[in-house]
Amino acid sequence: MNEVNEMIRVLVADDSAFMRKVLGDLFSRQPDFELVGTALNGRDAISKVKEQRPDLMTMDVNMPVMNGLDALAVIMKECPLPVVMLSSLTQEGTEATIQALSLGAVDFISKAGGSISSIDTIEEEILSKCRNAARAHVQPIVMAKEPPAALPVKKRIELSTRHGLRPPTTSKEPTSAHAVRLARRENPLLKKRSPLPDGMNKLNIIPAAGSETRPAGCRLVAVGTSTGGPQALQRVIVQLPADLPCGVVVVQHMPAGFTKALADRLNSISRIAVKEAEDGELIRPGHVYIAPGGYHLRVEARQTSMYICLGQDPPVGNHRPAVNVMYDSVASLGRQLVAVIMTGMGSDGCEGMKKIKAAGGYSIAQDEATCVVYGMPKVVVEAGLADEVCPVQDIARAIVKAVRR
């Protein structure tokens, strides 16, 4: 990882001579970047990465000889480094981008119309994403595709064994490694509710008098994540059981056009149902709802049920969807809520988590070692708002345990 004052050594991989030229010139003009080379295709990219050992690489998906996805899989296994993908907004392009992020790419740059015809309009986006990516924590990725959960157990075990994966468990709670559990602070709000802070969306779902738990239909898990999130979500959601007794709402910082591809991919490899959220739909147990890019996601209560509410009001903290907006809308659920904060840059989610903790909600944060960017979880942990800090592979277990406690 580069220190702030060190040069970021970057490799550009693209089969287009035009793109290699304009990106190379862009980086060469910056005082904090050094262009160490260019690659013509995926195979060339692998060779140049091993030879030059750059700090960062930009890579197109569609290249001859070996495409960007196949090259990325090799690079993340043998010589991992931060990679920013160049992606088109076509359906094929968005699906490839989501696959790249699942394979370990840190971020992506959208190419409107399928190509970057006027790079000056997105220069700042390219430079900002590449500077942020260069500071990301990446590790070797050895992750075969999970066999689809819809397959019969016998067939899934056969596929798992063939690909070197742990056979799927039939127990209701996933197996896990160790988690760091923080002592939960005694909060008077857990025993007696007091008025909630101004601006909070008050959900009229209150536990029955004398009850420590909530009705099954009123449980909710709220997950917030950003940079590195697609890979983290894959690690978590594929482990959630189909019979999870609550719904899950997710905010992943991602522009419009990509969240549906993310939801569809996760749905294809998970036991639990995953979909892009739609305005007004009922939140059902055993379902995961991902906020669409460009829309804030809120949760509204109507009698004893909860519903998705989408809106395009102004970004909050430069984000839409914003984790804080989602957290604010569900904070008054109190003990009925489990909030999860995972890898991402910045501090989105911290203010909402304060309200969640004040109302008695339970919080889980991803640990530093497994975060691509330890930003959003860091501010939550350092503020003393995390009840539990887990490596990403243990978060599903922590969720299941928390909603069944």
Side-chain angles (χ1 to χ4, degrees), residues 10-24 26-27 38-40 56-63 67-69 72 82-90 92-101 105-117 119 122-123 125-127 129-130 133 258:
V10 59
L11 173 71
V12 174
D14 202 297
D15 64 321
S16 164
F18 171 75
M19 285 305 306
R20 294 196 301 273
K21 171 67 173 172
V22 294
L23 286 173
L26 173 62
F27 290 125
T38 60
L40 309 179
L56 170 75
M57 179 170 64
T58 68
M59 184 160 61
D60 195 11
V61 172
N62 298 312
M63 295 186 291
N67 66 40
L69 292 177
L72 180 65
V83 177
V84 176
M85 304 297 293
L86 301 183
S87 168
S88 70
L89 292 175
T90 63
E92 182 181 352
T94 57
E95 291 172 353
T97 299
I98 297 305
Q99 187 175 350
L101 294 172
V106 174
D107 211 335
F108 66 96
I109 298 163
S110 300
K111 300 187 293 184
S115 64
I116 300 179
S117 57
I119 198 171
I122 58 170
E123 280 188 358
E125 177 189 358
I126 293 171
L127 294 173
K129 287 189 173 184
C130 286
F258 290 89

Side-chain angles (χ1 to χ4, degrees), residues 27 38 80 109 124 126 173 201 214 284 287 295 300 307 340 381 403:
F27 290 125
T38 60
I109 298 163
E124 286 307 312
I126 293 171
E173 192 166 322
N201 177 34
R214 57 182 180 263
R284 302 177 183 276
H287 287 68
Y295 288 83
E300 291 186 350
Y307 294 82
V340 182
V381 172
V403 300

Side-chain angles (χ1 to χ4, degrees), residues 325-355:
V325 170
M326 177 182 66
Y327 279 176
D328 284 357
S329 76
V330 299
S332 61
L333 284 171
R335 282 179 174 265
Q336 299 176 337
L337 178 70
V338 175
V340 182
I341 192 82
M342 300 199 300
T343 177
M345 191 165 298
S347 60
D348 188 24
C350 186
E351 291 304 312
M353 192 70 84
K354 290 177 183 177
K355 298 173 184 178

Side-chain angles (χ1 to χ4, degrees), residues 212-241:
E212 287 294 321
T213 59
R214 57 182 180 263
C218 296
R219 302 182 184 183
L220 188 70
V221 176
V223 180
T225 187
S226 185
T227 310
Q231 186 183 31
L233 287 170
Q234 180 167 310
R235 297 291 301 275
V236 172
I237 290 175
V238 298
Q239 293 189 69
L240 293 176

Side-chain angles (χ1 to χ4, degrees), residues 4-82:
V4 174
N5 295 326
E6 288 186 356
M7 297 288 286
I8 300 171
R9 303 174 67 255
V10 59
L11 173 71
V12 174
D14 202 297
D15 64 321
S16 164
F18 171 75
M19 285 305 306
R20 294 196 301 273
K21 171 67 173 172
V22 294
L23 286 173
D25 287 349
L26 173 62
F27 290 125
S28 295
R29 292 196 301 269
Q30 310 309 312
D32 55 339
F33 283 94
E34 176 188 353
L35 180 67
V36 298
T38 60
L40 309 179
N41 54 60
R43 186 176 298 169
D44 191 25
I46 295 171
S47 176
K48 293 287 178 61
V49 166
K50 293 179 178 180
E51 175 186 336
Q52 299 292 338
R53 296 292 176 177
D55 304 310
L56 170 75
M57 179 170 64
T58 68
M59 184 160 61
D60 195 11
V61 172
N62 298 312
M63 295 186 291
V65 184
M66 177 183 282
N67 66 40
L69 292 177
D70 291 340
L72 180 65
V74 174
I75 289 167
M76 297 310 295
K77 179 180 179 180
E78 298 183 0
C79 42
L81 80 159

Side-chain angles (χ1 to χ4, degrees), residues 64-208:
V65 184
M66 177 183 282
N67 66 40
L69 292 177
D70 291 340
L72 180 65
V74 174
I75 289 167
M76 297 310 295
K77 179 180 179 180
E78 298 183 0
C79 42
L81 80 159
V83 177
V84 176
M85 304 297 293
L86 301 183
S87 168
S88 70
L89 292 175
T90 63
Q91 180 177 348
E92 182 181 352
T94 57
E95 291 172 353
T97 299
I98 297 305
Q99 187 175 350
L101 294 172
S102 299
L103 287 169
V106 174
D107 211 335
F108 66 96
I109 298 163
S110 300
K111 300 187 293 184
S115 64
I116 300 179
S117 57
S118 181
I119 198 171
D120 58 313
T121 63
I122 58 170
E123 280 188 358
E124 286 307 312
E125 177 189 358
I126 293 171
L127 294 173
S128 174
K129 287 189 173 184
C130 286
R131 287 184 178 113
N132 290 336
R135 296 194 293 268
H137 175 63
V138 296
Q139 297 176 327
I141 302 295
V142 183
M143 185 188 302
K145 182 178 178 181
E146 288 276 353
L151 292 176
V153 172
K154 182 177 180 180
K155 183 64 174 177
R156 290 173 57 218
I157 292 175
E158 176 187 334
L159 289 174
S160 296
T161 304
R162 183 186 309 166
H163 292 294
L165 298 169
R166 183 176 61 207
T169 177
T170 56
S171 65
K172 292 185 178 181
E173 192 166 322
T175 57
S176 65
H178 297 289
V180 179
R181 190 170 184 85
L182 303 182
R184 189 168 190 182
R185 295 166 180 78
E186 186 65 28
N187 190 327
L189 291 175
L190 299 182
K191 297 181 179 180
K192 180 179 180 181
R193 290 177 177 267
S194 58
L196 295 168
D198 291 339
M200 286 177 59
N201 177 34
K202 298 177 175 60
L203 298 178
N204 298 316
I205 302 175
I206 308 298

